[in-house]
Amino acid sequence: METRFCLIQNHPLFLKEGKSLLKWNGWGYKDSKFSINKDQHVEFTGERYRLSGSTMPLLREWMKKTVGISLEHKSPSQSCTQDLNLVLENHDDVVKAVELAVKYNVVIIPFGGGTTVTSSLECPAFEKRMIVSLDTSQMNHILWVDEKNLTVRAECGIIGQDLERRLEERGYCTGHEPDSMEFSSLGGWVATRASGMKKNIYGNIEDLLVHVRFVTPRGVMEKSCQVPRMSSGPDIHHIILGSEGTMGVVTEVTLKIRPLPPCKKYGSIVFPSFENGVSCLREVAAQRCAPASIRLMDNEQFQFGAALKPESKSMLTNFMDGLKKFYITKLKGFDPNKLAVATLLFEGTKEEVAALEKRVYEIAAKFGGLPGGADNGERGYMLTFVIAYLRDLGFEYYIVAESFETSVPWDRCLDLCQNVKERLRRECKERRIQFPPYITCRVTQTYDAGACVYFYFGFNYRGISDPVHVYEEIESCARDEILANGGSISHHHGVGKIRKQWLKKTVGELGVGTMKALKAYIDPQNIFANNNLMMGNHSKL
Amino acid sequence: MKSNADDPKLVSARHKDVFEDILEERRTSSDLRFAARARDVPRFRLNKERPPHKIKEDVLKSDRVQYAIEQVCQDTGLPKAEVINQAKTIVDEMAHNLRTGAIRVFAFFLMKVLKQLYQRIYVNEEGIEKVRMLIQDYPILLMPTHRSYMDFLLMSYVFYHYDLPLPVIAAAMDFMGMKFFGWLLRNSGAFYIRRSFGEDTLYWAVFTEYVQTQICNGDSPIEFYVEGTRSRTSKSYAPKFGMLSAALEPYFKAHIPDIMVIPVSISYDRILEESLYAYELLGVPKPKESTSGLIKARKVLEEDFGNVHIFFGEPISIRQFSEGRVDRSKHSLAPRYIVSLTQEEQEMIRVFGHHVVLVHQHNMVISVWSMVAAILVQSQQGVTVRQMLREVEWMKRLASNLGAYIDWPVNESAETMLRASLALHHNIISINNDDVIQLQVAPPIVRGNAVQQHVAVMQTAAQHVMLSMYRNQIIHVFIRPAMIALSINSCRGEELSLDDLYQKYVFLENLLCRDFVFVPDNTRKDFEHTLSTLAHIGALVLEAGAIAVKKSINKTISFLSHMLEPFLIGYWVMCQFLLSSRLQVSAKPLARTQKTLVKEMQALSARLLQEGVIHHYEVLSMDMANNCLHALYHMGGVSKEKRDGVLYMYPNVAQLSTITEQIGKYIDVPPLPAVSIDLHTKTITVNAKL
């Protein structure tokens, strides 16, 4: 660390409103977190989420049962190191900064929302040159909105929720909603090949992208027109998409926009088993009638969702919940320890939504699925936003947890889910982790030829001396298993540093070589030396 | 002899070392209650329960079978309905119908039979408990040794006894013809597989799917014999890979996260089929299994077959075994029911098959009798009881040093052990008035006609072959040391460099690779390990990186070398026979089928035995002759040629002469007289000068 210093120390902009609201050592807003109240129940503080301010009486029991958390065993707090930043205002600033970096041989690591889960922002320890973190948080303006072509031009640093909110004021949206959209940035989406929850209607980032400006050590790479499609050799956008800060900085982006949908409706389907659910999702994908979002949670996640249910003050709600449970488990004979739940989000005109709802529920019925109500659906989506906070609560009680994802062909989907879970369980056992790990997955996206599967994995590390290392080892085994099962290195998290070891296996020697050749041409001095993706050593760690 | 209590005459007690007798409590409790008792069996965690007929349905509906049906339609032009019917017929013929009711009937009869046949059935309970744990978490493959029909009956019985789910067993079609037993076995979990179905796409697809669907769903543990068939010689057979590949494929294609293989070693004091095997090895055709044949076999029930030891070996995780050997993601690029196994996977299967056989051998329980047999084979004139006691004790130490597990409870004296084993095998040996232990053979017919003489020779040979069969129960312990010992023992010089020794070892391994099981590409390791073991136990002397030959000739080395003598003599006779046959048609080698070659070689050996040129009746074994031809083929000594669909073999004279000469360097070969044999009106001349 001693070789590193900052160009502009204590830059006031760094402390500007926006970042200061966020935690420095955990996920999300400072005012939003899970905590244990005086009645020894879990509550969620703040006012930002639907769950905020409520108590979840079932959660404590769930935590105890599934991962062996006990409130008497609190782990000592950990510290982390902060990095130094160069905060820039616009595209021209970036061009100048990169020119200077080339001139003085300074390393640049672009920084957007900082929501990476692949360690891609970590400074390589072996780097001897000065490292500048290029902070784009102040490049957060919408430059223009083109209603004729339905496009928006914005700077790279704009955060997802700000972009959507400002477009909403004009009656538009991009429809790109990754789970991190509260904190992740437009430039980051492009640089990591992001995927949004509602991709079924709006598409993933590569479908939304119309134009991008990319500042590299060789100059600015961009197309000269903003057209829907062209045939001009290999698409340079696809060099920029997913480049993970290894070749340059995204500064400005044009995305497609859509008028806001008049009708938005949640829904859910209860299946007797995860297998039925997967078959249903496969059929929905085959018939290409997926709603904006359709996700299938396995039983473990369903139970977790149930534990997150806030305390209800109303007798009627309690009564209705009881009735629903009775209907599904007793009358329909669903085993509460086997059933799986799909959450749905419909968007469109009222008529479109109604027609699609009908069609989806009809397909679901063929696979034994019963409509489970809008409330369950909405709670399912909320879960993905608050789960990161819950992880932070877990950290205080000896829980280490993370998520990882993959994409997989349909015929392999079920086997992959089952085998990865089994593998995780076995690796925990072999490492003598004394509490049962929490392992759950959901199918979060459907495509014509396959699906995206998202895993949560956590365990109680009381009695383990080096939990983070153990976690990483086990996750690495899980990725091996995923690849053996026909899954991919990633669906949308990217490669970063933690998945480099599988890149060569994924794209081949020639693939990595080609990426390296591009890098060598675009950045011969290795200014963008964050050591992600194809850079450096690829041998298995 | 059969008593309920711990009778000292039984030589061993209910608990013995890691073993526990499971028959004893059956002798004192109600058989009916045992057969009717409630069974609470553990189940595979990911199993979805389905009855046998649902398994058949699932097989027919599977992608693999559907794909095969389409292919067959395309290839043959048959209507689809007909091909589907064919598939149905295949699966009906194949499928088991495991049912609780039948299991109980089966257990009831089986227990009665087992109590009649055996004194004790010993099982290592620790191994059973491991199986019980694993069954819940993994699909299980049981791979027992195969020395007798009793193997699979015993396995099922053990699983019944310990309240484990009964295995389903891959059985050969021979049983299916039997009326009652065929039905009973099918309902107790046997499924039937044709011995060979080569290129039959549909059969292959149905078979593969049938096995794999049961592995993936973990319906029952699946049992099959990696050696493919019952070993008639009591030696391990080289592993077969068809069933093994089908069974492991679901792991390679990531249908399941892992498979656990349990190698099981079943050691018999006395093998039920001993004389049947002996005649079969000599070429007397085996009677076709039939129910009436089994009933005739009732007289067998009156005999005593001693103890059986069943050792459940350490479970092997296929995932762990294949780590670093295979890359499962290679199957990502095509649908899993189409693509075949990769090169690395096939290679791994080959190594794994051999590995399992070696584990089998390591876990065999060696009886005192097999040591007696090994000694008697080397001293055909007989051995006095006193001498035998000394020899057996000496050999027990040697075998233990080489890692063998000998069935010899510490509290039993050598005399008790020896007497008990001699009593058990009174049909093979006898003790004469001078207390000399001898092989029982009929007196030679001097003045009979050729046919009578032949019958007499074969009867004598059968006794010898049986004896060698029991020697074979221990020979795997000695085979590698024996190959080194023979190389040293036959060395004429003062010292033998390790390189030369290794070359000699390699030649023997190539030559004997069919008679014994060696892990492929492991020769160097095997050699070095064996060499250091022999040096460690003081059996050979190493000086300045070479073997000091004179100092190394001792009892161990000479005993071990003699163990291989019958094999090398047999091989040598075969070589001589092949070489002589080229004289038939003006220097061009005469091609014959393997069967003919073996028969004619046997006739020649019989003649040589009668004339006292050679002494090892074991040479008459057709198994040995076949193994020899295989080895010679692989060493380039003979070639194969297909004419009109029939496979012929003929010698490559130059290469074969070299091999013959080499063999002659290991053993003292007898001077061959010019012998003429009249065989099916053809005359074979063996030239002494060869």
Side-chain angles (χ1 to χ4, degrees), chain A residues 107-140:
Chain A
V107 170
I108 293 179
I109 296 184
F111 186 99
T115 56
T116 178
V117 286
T118 57
S119 302
S120 55
L121 295 170
E122 229 167 65
C123 303
F126 52 79
E127 183 59 62
K128 294 279 182 269
R129 293 173 291 177
M130 180 178 124
I131 299 178
V132 171
S133 177
L134 202 154
D135 187 327
T136 58
S137 63
Q138 301 315 307
M139 295 172 65
N140 55 9

Short mmCIF file of all heavy atoms in Angstrom, two decimals, chain A residues 107-140:
data_model
loop_
_atom_site.label_atom_id
_atom_site.label_comp_id
_atom_site.label_asym_id
_atom_site.label_seq_id
_atom_site.Cartn_x
_atom_site.Cartn_y
_atom_site.Cartn_z
N VAL A 107 -1.60 3.80 -13.05
CA VAL A 107 -2.67 2.80 -13.23
C VAL A 107 -4.04 3.41 -12.92
O VAL A 107 -4.19 4.14 -11.94
CB VAL A 107 -2.42 1.58 -12.32
CG1 VAL A 107 -3.64 0.65 -12.33
CG2 VAL A 107 -1.17 0.85 -12.75
N ILE A 108 -5.02 3.10 -13.77
CA ILE A 108 -6.38 3.58 -13.52
C ILE A 108 -7.31 2.39 -13.27
O ILE A 108 -7.30 1.42 -14.02
CB ILE A 108 -6.93 4.36 -14.74
CG1 ILE A 108 -6.14 5.66 -14.92
CG2 ILE A 108 -8.41 4.65 -14.58
CD1 ILE A 108 -6.60 6.46 -16.12
N ILE A 109 -8.07 2.51 -12.20
CA ILE A 109 -9.15 1.53 -11.98
C ILE A 109 -10.47 2.27 -11.96
O ILE A 109 -10.75 3.03 -11.04
CB ILE A 109 -8.94 0.75 -10.67
CG1 ILE A 109 -7.65 -0.07 -10.75
CG2 ILE A 109 -10.15 -0.14 -10.38
CD1 ILE A 109 -7.38 -0.95 -9.56
N PRO A 110 -11.29 2.09 -13.02
CA PRO A 110 -12.57 2.80 -13.06
C PRO A 110 -13.49 2.30 -11.96
O PRO A 110 -13.49 1.11 -11.63
CB PRO A 110 -13.13 2.45 -14.44
CG PRO A 110 -12.00 1.85 -15.19
CD PRO A 110 -11.09 1.25 -14.20
N PHE A 111 -14.26 3.25 -11.39
CA PHE A 111 -15.16 2.91 -10.29
C PHE A 111 -16.53 3.51 -10.55
O PHE A 111 -16.66 4.69 -10.81
CB PHE A 111 -14.56 3.48 -8.99
CG PHE A 111 -15.31 3.10 -7.74
CD1 PHE A 111 -14.85 2.06 -6.94
CD2 PHE A 111 -16.46 3.78 -7.35
CE1 PHE A 111 -15.53 1.71 -5.78
CE2 PHE A 111 -17.14 3.42 -6.21
CZ PHE A 111 -16.67 2.39 -5.41
N GLY A 112 -17.57 2.69 -10.56
CA GLY A 112 -18.92 3.19 -10.81
C GLY A 112 -19.72 3.18 -9.53
O GLY A 112 -19.53 4.01 -8.65
N GLY A 113 -20.59 2.21 -9.37
CA GLY A 113 -21.40 2.13 -8.16
C GLY A 113 -20.74 1.30 -7.07
O GLY A 113 -21.16 1.30 -5.93
N GLY A 114 -19.72 0.56 -7.45
CA GLY A 114 -18.98 -0.23 -6.46
C GLY A 114 -19.73 -1.44 -5.95
O GLY A 114 -19.49 -1.94 -4.86
N THR A 115 -20.67 -1.95 -6.74
CA THR A 115 -21.46 -3.09 -6.27
C THR A 115 -20.90 -4.44 -6.74
O THR A 115 -21.59 -5.44 -6.71
CB THR A 115 -22.91 -2.99 -6.77
OG1 THR A 115 -22.89 -2.87 -8.20
CG2 THR A 115 -23.61 -1.79 -6.18
N THR A 116 -19.66 -4.44 -7.19
CA THR A 116 -19.09 -5.68 -7.71
C THR A 116 -19.15 -6.82 -6.69
O THR A 116 -19.03 -6.59 -5.48
CB THR A 116 -17.63 -5.47 -8.13
OG1 THR A 116 -17.11 -6.71 -8.57
CG2 THR A 116 -16.78 -4.98 -6.97
N VAL A 117 -19.35 -8.01 -7.19
CA VAL A 117 -19.27 -9.19 -6.31
C VAL A 117 -18.18 -10.14 -6.82
O VAL A 117 -18.17 -11.32 -6.48
CB VAL A 117 -20.62 -9.94 -6.22
CG1 VAL A 117 -21.59 -9.16 -5.37
CG2 VAL A 117 -21.19 -10.21 -7.60
N THR A 118 -17.29 -9.60 -7.66
CA THR A 118 -16.24 -10.47 -8.21
C THR A 118 -14.85 -9.95 -7.88
O THR A 118 -13.88 -10.30 -8.53
CB THR A 118 -16.38 -10.58 -9.74
OG1 THR A 118 -16.31 -9.24 -10.28
CG2 THR A 118 -17.66 -11.23 -10.15
N SER A 119 -14.77 -9.06 -6.87
CA SER A 119 -13.49 -8.44 -6.47
C SER A 119 -12.84 -7.69 -7.61
O SER A 119 -11.62 -7.51 -7.63
CB SER A 119 -12.49 -9.50 -5.97
OG SER A 119 -13.04 -10.19 -4.89
N SER A 120 -13.63 -7.21 -8.56
CA SER A 120 -13.01 -6.60 -9.73
C SER A 120 -12.45 -5.22 -9.43
O SER A 120 -11.68 -4.67 -10.21
CB SER A 120 -14.01 -6.52 -10.88
OG SER A 120 -15.16 -5.84 -10.46
N LEU A 121 -12.82 -4.61 -8.29
CA LEU A 121 -12.29 -3.28 -7.96
C LEU A 121 -11.07 -3.36 -7.05
O LEU A 121 -10.45 -2.35 -6.75
CB LEU A 121 -13.38 -2.43 -7.30
CG LEU A 121 -14.57 -2.11 -8.21
CD1 LEU A 121 -15.69 -1.48 -7.44
CD2 LEU A 121 -14.12 -1.21 -9.36
N GLU A 122 -10.76 -4.54 -6.60
CA GLU A 122 -9.61 -4.71 -5.72
C GLU A 122 -8.32 -4.35 -6.45
O GLU A 122 -8.13 -4.72 -7.60
CB GLU A 122 -9.52 -6.18 -5.31
CG GLU A 122 -9.36 -6.40 -3.85
CD GLU A 122 -9.61 -7.86 -3.51
OE1 GLU A 122 -8.81 -8.69 -3.98
OE2 GLU A 122 -10.62 -8.15 -2.85
N CYS A 123 -7.42 -3.61 -5.76
CA CYS A 123 -6.15 -3.27 -6.40
C CYS A 123 -5.23 -4.48 -6.34
O CYS A 123 -5.09 -5.08 -5.29
CB CYS A 123 -5.49 -2.12 -5.65
SG CYS A 123 -6.53 -0.68 -5.55
N PRO A 124 -4.61 -4.78 -7.48
CA PRO A 124 -3.68 -5.91 -7.45
C PRO A 124 -2.51 -5.60 -6.51
O PRO A 124 -1.90 -4.54 -6.59
CB PRO A 124 -3.17 -6.00 -8.89
CG PRO A 124 -4.09 -5.17 -9.70
CD PRO A 124 -4.71 -4.17 -8.81
N ALA A 125 -2.22 -6.51 -5.61
CA ALA A 125 -1.22 -6.28 -4.59
C ALA A 125 0.17 -6.13 -5.18
O ALA A 125 1.01 -5.42 -4.64
CB ALA A 125 -1.25 -7.42 -3.58
N PHE A 126 0.41 -6.75 -6.32
CA PHE A 126 1.76 -6.74 -6.89
C PHE A 126 2.04 -5.47 -7.70
O PHE A 126 3.14 -5.27 -8.18
CB PHE A 126 1.97 -7.97 -7.79
CG PHE A 126 0.89 -8.14 -8.82
CD1 PHE A 126 0.91 -7.37 -9.98
CD2 PHE A 126 -0.15 -9.05 -8.62
CE1 PHE A 126 -0.09 -7.52 -10.93
CE2 PHE A 126 -1.15 -9.18 -9.57
CZ PHE A 126 -1.12 -8.43 -10.72
N GLU A 127 1.03 -4.62 -7.88
CA GLU A 127 1.21 -3.44 -8.72
C GLU A 127 2.14 -2.44 -8.02
O GLU A 127 1.88 -2.01 -6.90
CB GLU A 127 -0.16 -2.78 -9.00
CG GLU A 127 -0.09 -1.59 -9.92
CD GLU A 127 0.49 -1.93 -11.29
OE1 GLU A 127 -0.11 -2.76 -11.99
OE2 GLU A 127 1.56 -1.38 -11.62
N LYS A 128 3.24 -2.07 -8.73
CA LYS A 128 4.21 -1.16 -8.12
C LYS A 128 3.94 0.30 -8.49
O LYS A 128 4.45 1.22 -7.88
CB LYS A 128 5.64 -1.55 -8.54
CG LYS A 128 6.08 -2.90 -8.02
CD LYS A 128 6.57 -2.80 -6.58
CE LYS A 128 7.06 -4.13 -6.06
NZ LYS A 128 5.95 -4.88 -5.40
N ARG A 129 3.16 0.52 -9.55
CA ARG A 129 2.90 1.89 -9.99
C ARG A 129 1.84 2.54 -9.10
O ARG A 129 1.17 1.87 -8.34
CB ARG A 129 2.40 1.88 -11.45
CG ARG A 129 3.46 1.44 -12.43
CD ARG A 129 2.88 1.29 -13.82
NE ARG A 129 1.95 0.16 -13.91
CZ ARG A 129 1.26 -0.15 -15.01
NH1 ARG A 129 1.36 0.62 -16.08
NH2 ARG A 129 0.46 -1.18 -15.02
N MET A 130 1.70 3.82 -9.29
CA MET A 130 0.64 4.53 -8.58
C MET A 130 -0.72 4.08 -9.12
O MET A 130 -0.87 3.92 -10.32
CB MET A 130 0.82 6.02 -8.80
CG MET A 130 -0.20 6.87 -8.12
SD MET A 130 0.22 8.58 -8.44
CE MET A 130 -1.28 9.12 -9.16
N ILE A 131 -1.66 3.91 -8.22
CA ILE A 131 -2.99 3.48 -8.66
C ILE A 131 -4.01 4.58 -8.38
O ILE A 131 -4.10 5.08 -7.26
CB ILE A 131 -3.43 2.19 -7.93
CG1 ILE A 131 -2.47 1.06 -8.24
CG2 ILE A 131 -4.86 1.82 -8.32
CD1 ILE A 131 -2.79 -0.22 -7.53
N VAL A 132 -4.76 4.95 -9.41
CA VAL A 132 -5.81 5.95 -9.24
C VAL A 132 -7.15 5.28 -9.43
O VAL A 132 -7.38 4.60 -10.43
CB VAL A 132 -5.65 7.08 -10.27
CG1 VAL A 132 -6.87 7.99 -10.24
CG2 VAL A 132 -4.39 7.87 -10.01
N SER A 133 -8.01 5.46 -8.46
CA SER A 133 -9.36 4.97 -8.62
C SER A 133 -10.17 6.06 -9.30
O SER A 133 -10.33 7.15 -8.77
CB SER A 133 -9.95 4.62 -7.25
OG SER A 133 -11.27 4.22 -7.41
N LEU A 134 -10.65 5.77 -10.50
CA LEU A 134 -11.34 6.80 -11.28
C LEU A 134 -12.82 6.77 -10.95
O LEU A 134 -13.57 5.91 -11.41
CB LEU A 134 -11.09 6.54 -12.77
CG LEU A 134 -11.27 7.73 -13.71
CD1 LEU A 134 -10.44 7.52 -14.95
CD2 LEU A 134 -12.73 7.89 -14.07
N ASP A 135 -13.21 7.70 -10.09
CA ASP A 135 -14.57 7.71 -9.55
C ASP A 135 -15.49 8.45 -10.51
O ASP A 135 -15.31 9.63 -10.78
CB ASP A 135 -14.54 8.37 -8.17
CG ASP A 135 -15.87 8.28 -7.47
OD1 ASP A 135 -16.92 8.31 -8.15
OD2 ASP A 135 -15.87 8.17 -6.23
N THR A 136 -16.52 7.81 -11.01
CA THR A 136 -17.42 8.44 -11.98
C THR A 136 -18.73 8.89 -11.33
O THR A 136 -19.68 9.24 -12.03
CB THR A 136 -17.76 7.46 -13.12
OG1 THR A 136 -18.35 6.30 -12.54
CG2 THR A 136 -16.52 7.07 -13.90
N SER A 137 -18.76 8.92 -10.00
CA SER A 137 -20.04 9.15 -9.33
C SER A 137 -20.63 10.52 -9.64
O SER A 137 -21.84 10.72 -9.55
CB SER A 137 -19.90 8.96 -7.82
OG SER A 137 -19.00 9.93 -7.32
N GLN A 138 -19.78 11.49 -10.02
CA GLN A 138 -20.32 12.82 -10.31
C GLN A 138 -20.70 12.97 -11.79
O GLN A 138 -21.27 13.99 -12.19
CB GLN A 138 -19.32 13.90 -9.90
CG GLN A 138 -18.97 13.85 -8.41
CD GLN A 138 -20.21 13.66 -7.53
OE1 GLN A 138 -21.18 14.41 -7.64
NE2 GLN A 138 -20.19 12.63 -6.67
N MET A 139 -20.39 11.98 -12.58
CA MET A 139 -20.83 12.01 -14.00
C MET A 139 -22.20 11.34 -14.04
O MET A 139 -22.36 10.23 -14.52
CB MET A 139 -19.83 11.25 -14.87
CG MET A 139 -18.47 11.93 -14.91
SD MET A 139 -17.22 10.94 -15.76
CE MET A 139 -17.86 10.90 -17.41
N ASN A 140 -23.17 12.06 -13.50
CA ASN A 140 -24.45 11.42 -13.26
C ASN A 140 -25.61 12.15 -13.93
O ASN A 140 -26.71 12.20 -13.40
CB ASN A 140 -24.70 11.29 -11.75
CG ASN A 140 -24.60 12.63 -11.06
OD1 ASN A 140 -24.51 13.67 -11.73
ND2 ASN A 140 -24.62 12.61 -9.75
#
